[in-house]
Amino acid sequence: MKIPKVSRLLFAVFILSLFSQASNAQFYFNNEDGYRLWLKYDAIADRKLQKAYSKHIGSTYIAGESDTANIIRQELRYALGSMLNHNVEFSDNLKKNQLVIGTPDSLDFINRDELKGLGDEGYRIRSQKIDGKNVTLISANSDVGTLYGTYHFLRLLQTQSSIDDLNITETPKIDVRVLNHWDNLDRHVERGYAGESIWDWHKLPDYKYQRYYDYARANASIGINGTVLNNVNAAPLILTPHYLEKVEALATIFRPYGLKVYLSVKFSSPQLIGGMKTSDPLDKEVQQWWKEKADEIYKRIPDFGGFLVKANSEGQPGPGDFGRTHAEGANMLADALAPHGGIVMWRAFVYANEKNEERSKQAYSEFKPLDGKFRENVLVQVKNGPIDFQPREPFSPLFGATPKTPMMMEFQVTMEYLGFSTHLVYLGTMYEEALKTDTHAKGKGSTVGKVVDGSLFNNSISGMAGVANIGSDRNWTGHIMLQSNWYVFGRMAWDHELGAKTIADEWIHMTLSDEPQVVDTVSDLMMASREITVNYMTPLGLHHIMGVGHHYGPGPWVKDLGRDDWTSVYYHRAAKDGIGFDRSPSGVNAVAQYHSPVRDIYSSPETIPEELLLWFHHLSWDYKTKSGRTLWDELVHRYYQGAEDVSKMLTSWKTLEGTIDDQQFNQVLMALQIQQQEAYRWRNACVLYFQQFSQRPIPEGLQKPEGSLEEYEAMRFPHAPGQGR
Ligand code: GCW
């Protein structure tokens, strides 16, 4: 039936009127939903600059036919086409004004000697003359090196940097740069706040989502070279053929991007899926079982990375169940993987109820004596602080304590203790703080970064892991701004000396805008955000006072759980006489685990950085802080400052309306409004709670907190996302 023109017109008017009538409806024409991450490659608005770039990149010449070379071609076709606004010519011979990319194997004018020292992943980008032609050459020893170089080059364009006279040489400072997904096989993500797991295990191996490729691209673009697919609270099923076939499918997708696959394994797998009577690491048959399992995996995935293990921690099985040490457990797995070049990342996040030792000290006590006992292909993976990813912790004393054992850094990218995915907290400053802290293990300048990159003790392997904040949400991380935490993790794993600010600015240019005013506003927000959050959650070294189970929101009142060191009262120790945990020599003496002079500085409330005061000291409410205020007044001031600063963040974000994409603007606005409510809730709940002990008034000039303590205590968050199962 033919519909008359008039009717069609009326219908169109009707549809349009639906949108205009629905006062609250949102309709975004440009659909900038965050999926493209920092790889947007929008056209360069500055026409002069666009022209200047185009002059340098008259054509491209990408040598080689590998999958990686083809990925580079695709990426450049898309990126240059879009940024420079014209189709880029791909040629297969040298021309002037060309972008040339290759390895000594694919291009004979690339001199192998000149790439010495670059290893498998480094690259060079140089403006130079070849056969009398001016070109920009990206060269590396391997295809993956050229891919990394390509992303670096594109980043120069994305950040509107000069590409004249380039002379860049880059190698990663850290070898193993991996994401840890705490993803269960049923797609629930432990401590995940961005939807379900991106791995659709049920549909694998046949159904390959575009997202898998885009995930690999995003990781390659920031130098991440490995991914642990499954939760450290591991399901033994992952090692069965049914799942290994699926793992193989992902590994095949990721390979050309330089992204290796690793698996978390359950230590008792020989019993649970192997039908064995024991999983004792010294049992010959158990050892044989793991050897055969490793062989089976490598048959499918020749470049498989290795295993990550959480053992004898929070109920997970481990060598301790058989009276063996962590080294004996790790070495058994290391021996199974070694013939294939695999590694073991053995976690140091262990604490046990039976041991009558304060929790922050246990990892060190357990692992320090094992230094020198691990195989060469074992790294011990340590969380940045001695407790558990709190908004602020001192560095773990294990960094710098084990010259013979590579200590791998574990950062949390997902924000379990930092407001999930509604709080804007840029973690670059937190990572930088941890990596720059001086352990003094070998005198001044022995930073955590140098321990982790292996340079301090000359370790043969180094690593950094980030617990991923990635999920099935269209924008990957639940909150667009939190994409920056994935980004900064990768960039810092590549080069931990890059500053948090440099990386933030890069990311803003690539993701949000080139407008200087936008970059400045967002950069200021990001750089201040972590300290602001510390202030409204856990100022002055307070820690572990969050809601029970889900860990969302304040819970300083939490007590009487299965074990003391799961409660809040254990950590803040607020009482009539004061507040804070005495970990100084007069208390549990955790400071003794640090090298001098760190130990001495931390030992006294007068010398310790005030940010860590209550982590190490129990002090009277009237203790005079650096500001001249009493401890009580200072604590309250910081809570108030933190909450007020979130309001300021919101005000400052509002100034961006119309200067960045509407949808992005609105998403962050809504999240900031939630963050504001939450910041005030933290402030009010904590101040009211601690006031019961301090019995002192709210300092002059500050309003009384709204609500009553009972109201805050009664708040519940059923089905809060991300809880362990
Ligand atoms: O921070 C705690 C989390 C657990 C997590 C554990 C760990 C995967 O609350 O959910 O378990 O750390 O790091 O093993």
Side-chain angles (χ1 to χ4, degrees):
M1 186 185 70
K2 206 162 182 281
I3 305 170
K5 222 178 180 175
V6 182
S7 309
R8 273 185 280 161
L9 197 74
L10 282 176
F11 183 68
V13 170
F14 168 70
I15 292 291
L16 278 176
S17 71
L18 278 185
F19 286 113
S20 55
Q21 274 170 20
S23 57
N24 226 355
Q26 298 193 27
F27 188 71
Y28 298 108
F29 290 92
N30 51 359
N31 197 28
E32 181 58 77
D33 58 11
Y35 184 80
R36 297 185 299 162
L37 294 164
W38 48 88
L39 299 174
K40 291 165 73 173
Y41 305 128
D42 285 341
I44 290 162
D46 179 344
R47 295 299 288 271
K48 252 172 96 187
L49 193 65
Q50 200 183 49
K51 259 196 154 160
Y53 287 156
S54 297
K55 222 183 108 209
H56 278 288
I57 319 170
S59 64
T60 57
Y61 174 21
I62 298 145
E65 281 311 320
S66 67
D67 288 346
T68 306
N70 285 327
I71 285 168
I72 294 175
R73 281 191 191 94
Q74 280 178 17
E75 193 78 18
L76 286 176
R77 192 183 303 276
Y78 171 57
L80 295 178
S82 166
M83 281 194 283
L84 306 183
N85 218 354
H86 66 78
N87 283 336
V88 176
E89 183 197 327
F90 285 83
S91 74
D92 46 16
N93 54 29
L94 202 62
K95 290 186 177 169
K96 65 174 188 190
N97 301 332
Q98 199 171 43
L99 174 64
V100 184
I101 303 178
T103 65
D105 288 334
S106 62
L107 289 175
D108 48 19
F109 52 78
I110 295 179
N111 184 342
R112 214 171 277 279
D113 287 344
E114 282 189 8
L115 302 180
K116 267 202 185 130
L118 288 190
D120 282 344
E121 296 182 308
Y123 54 85
R124 291 184 85 177
I125 309 178
R126 289 181 80 185
S127 310
Q128 63 186 93
K129 258 197 166 99
I130 303 175
D131 288 350
K133 300 180 177 80
N134 282 324
V135 301
T136 307
L137 174 66
I138 302 179
S139 58
N141 288 316
S142 71
D143 285 342
V144 166
T146 59
L147 180 65
Y148 289 151
T150 302
Y151 280 117
H152 188 136
F153 181 76
L154 287 173
R155 188 160 60 235
L156 295 176
L157 269 54
Q158 289 175 286
T159 54
Q160 314 216 331
S161 314
S162 165
I163 56 167
D164 301 333
D165 306 320
L166 294 177
N167 189 3
I168 297 168
T169 305
E170 282 276 332
T171 50
K173 289 203 168 63
I174 286 172
D175 304 316
V176 181
R177 307 178 298 279
V178 287
L179 287 179
N180 287 183
H181 287 267
W182 286 357
D183 294 17
N184 294 344
L185 302 183
D186 65 1
R187 299 192 76 178
H188 172 73
V189 182
E190 184 158 345
R191 309 311 174 185
Y193 313 105
E196 294 195 290
S197 169
I198 52 173
W199 320 128
D200 189 337
W201 291 107
H202 182 69
K203 286 196 198 157
L204 280 165
D206 300 318
Y207 197 99
K208 295 167 183 133
Y209 283 92
Q210 177 60 35
R211 198 182 265 261
Y212 299 155
Y213 299 86
D214 292 332
Y215 167 84
R217 268 179 73 218
N219 281 320
S221 76
I222 50 177
I224 290 175
N225 66 0
T227 176
V228 185
L229 299 174
N230 60 320
N231 192 351
V232 286
N233 292 329
L237 272 185
I238 194 73
L239 291 178
T240 58
H242 181 71
Y243 277 95
L244 289 177
E245 195 186 356
K246 299 166 190 280
V247 174
E248 180 186 347
L250 289 175
T252 308
I253 294 174
F254 298 163
R255 185 166 299 116
Y257 296 90
L259 190 67
K260 276 190 188 178
V261 155
Y262 298 75
L263 292 176
S264 296
V265 297
K266 200 173 194 82
F267 199 77
S268 54
S269 296
Q271 289 159 284
L272 295 172
I273 56 165
M276 313 215 27
K277 288 215 171 57
T278 174
S279 297
D280 180 352
L282 297 194
D283 183 291
K284 291 269 172 302
E285 284 174 35
V286 172
Q287 293 171 356
Q288 187 57 28
W289 187 88
W290 282 107
K291 281 210 159 79
E292 284 168 18
K293 191 45 81 183
D295 294 346
E296 182 189 341
I297 297 173
Y298 279 92
K299 227 168 152 187
R300 290 179 179 277
I301 310 167
D303 57 351
F304 178 70
F307 295 146
L308 169 64
V309 193
K310 170 174 177 178
N312 293 124
S313 165
E314 299 186 330
Q316 291 299 322
D321 304 349
F322 310 95
R324 313 296 181 195
T325 67
H326 284 283
E328 285 166 327
N331 290 345
M332 168 192 61
L333 298 177
D335 289 342
L337 295 165
H340 308 281
I343 58 164
V344 173
M345 296 168 286
W346 191 271
R347 295 179 88 225
F349 179 68
V350 299
Y351 61 98
N353 225 9
E354 313 79 58
K355 294 209 186 78
N356 207 6
E357 192 180 28
E358 195 267 306
R359 176 164 160 192
S360 81
K361 294 169 68 180
Q362 289 189 27
Y364 178 100
S365 306
E366 190 85 45
F367 282 88
K368 164 107 179 120
L370 297 176
D371 189 25
K373 301 226 157 67
F374 290 98
R375 297 281 190 268
E376 285 218 326
N377 56 336
V378 178
L379 295 111
V380 172
Q381 183 170 312
V382 191
K383 291 187 182 183
N384 57 287
I387 298 276
D388 192 7
F389 297 138
Q390 294 301 295
R392 170 167 278 121
E393 297 199 23
F395 67 94
S396 162
L398 271 171
F399 294 112
T402 60
K404 297 190 195 112
T405 312
M407 286 286 138
M408 179 168 173
M409 174 62 83
E410 179 177 316
F411 282 128
Q412 197 171 44
V413 187
T414 189
M415 302 214 305
E416 175 180 0
Y417 299 103
L418 284 158
F420 294 8
S421 58
T422 45
H423 293 210
L424 192 170
V425 189
Y426 172 56
L427 298 175
T429 47
M430 174 161 152
Y431 301 161
E432 182 170 359
E433 175 179 298
L435 292 163
K436 286 206 170 138
T437 309
D438 199 341
T439 69
H440 286 271
K442 278 174 78 180
K444 204 168 161 20
S446 309
T447 60
V448 171
K450 285 188 182 155
V451 174
V452 173
D453 74 16
S455 62
L456 191 71
F457 296 124
N458 219 357
N459 303 124
S460 56
I461 184 165
S462 58
M464 194 187 287
V467 179
N469 62 345
I470 299 162
S472 59
D473 274 8
R474 184 67 193 158
N475 66 16
W476 301 85
T477 55
H479 184 310
I480 312 157
M481 296 297 295
L482 301 183
Q483 294 177 353
S484 66
N485 290 334
W486 177 7
Y487 185 86
V488 71
F489 167 74
R491 298 285 287 130
M492 280 205 187
W494 180 277
D495 181 356
H496 59 80
E497 279 166 11
L498 283 169
K501 162 94 176 125
T502 310
I503 301 174
D505 288 357
E506 241 174 57
W507 178 83
I508 300 165
H509 272 282
M510 296 163 80
T511 314
L512 293 176
S513 170
D514 280 324
E515 290 295 322
Q517 178 242 334
V518 176
V519 178
D520 288 350
T521 307
V522 179
S523 177
D524 287 351
L525 278 181
M526 288 170 74
M527 290 303 288
S529 60
R530 186 265 185 142
E531 204 60 50
I532 291 174
T533 309
V534 169
N535 277 338
Y536 67 74
M537 287 187 176
T538 52
L540 293 168
L542 285 176
H543 51 286
H544 209 293
I545 56 170
M546 64 287 160
V548 64
H550 50 63
H551 298 168
Y552 189 70
W557 44 79
V558 172
K559 57 179 182 193
D560 300 333
L561 297 179
R563 34 189 300 175
D564 280 352
D565 55 9
W566 282 347
T567 67
S568 301
V569 294
Y570 172 86
Y571 293 100
H572 62 64
R573 307 205 164 201
K576 288 237 159 64
D577 72 329
I579 181 170
F581 199 145
D582 188 0
R583 293 189 173 106
S584 78
S586 61
V588 298
N589 202 13
V591 290
Q593 295 184 334
Y594 291 92
H595 293 273
S596 221
V598 180
R599 159 196 309 176
D600 318 305
I601 294 169
Y602 286 1
S603 285
S604 156
E606 304 305 319
T607 50
I608 193 165
E610 209 158 58
E611 288 69 41
L612 296 174
L613 192 62
L614 302 177
W615 186 286
F616 287 105
H617 298 280
H618 184 85
L619 298 168
S620 109
W621 295 107
D622 291 325
Y623 175 82
K624 271 264 165 345
T625 63
K626 299 216 166 89
S627 63
R629 298 185 186 113
T630 64
L631 179 57
W632 165 249
D633 283 3
E634 180 67 19
L635 189 71
V636 178
H637 262 103
R638 294 217 182 192
Y639 271 114
Y640 274 64
Q641 188 67 53
E644 195 186 318
D645 285 345
V646 177
S647 296
K648 288 192 185 145
M649 283 168 83
L650 188 54
T651 311
S652 140
W653 184 261
K654 284 181 181 161
T655 67
L656 297 175
E657 184 159 20
T659 63
I660 63 167
D661 174 82
D662 283 351
Q663 188 169 183
Q664 296 194 323
F665 172 79
N666 274 327
Q667 284 184 5
V668 177
L669 183 72
M670 289 186 288
L672 275 167
Q673 281 158 349
I674 297 176
Q675 184 176 2
Q676 179 175 247
Q677 286 165 23
E678 289 298 289
Y680 280 87
R681 182 160 77 89
W682 266 96
R683 178 194 90 171
N684 296 342
C686 291
V687 167
L688 287 169
Y689 173 80
F690 291 129
Q691 195 176 26
Q692 304 174 97
F693 304 99
S694 80
Q695 300 189 335
R696 281 157 177 77
I698 302 297
E700 228 168 283
L702 302 180
Q703 279 179 352
K704 285 219 169 71
E706 304 92 42
S708 70
L709 184 57
E710 293 68 40
E711 282 168 320
Y712 290 111
E713 284 196 34
M715 286 186 178
R716 294 287 175 272
F717 297 86
H719 306 297
Q723 296 187 57
R725 281 182 184 165

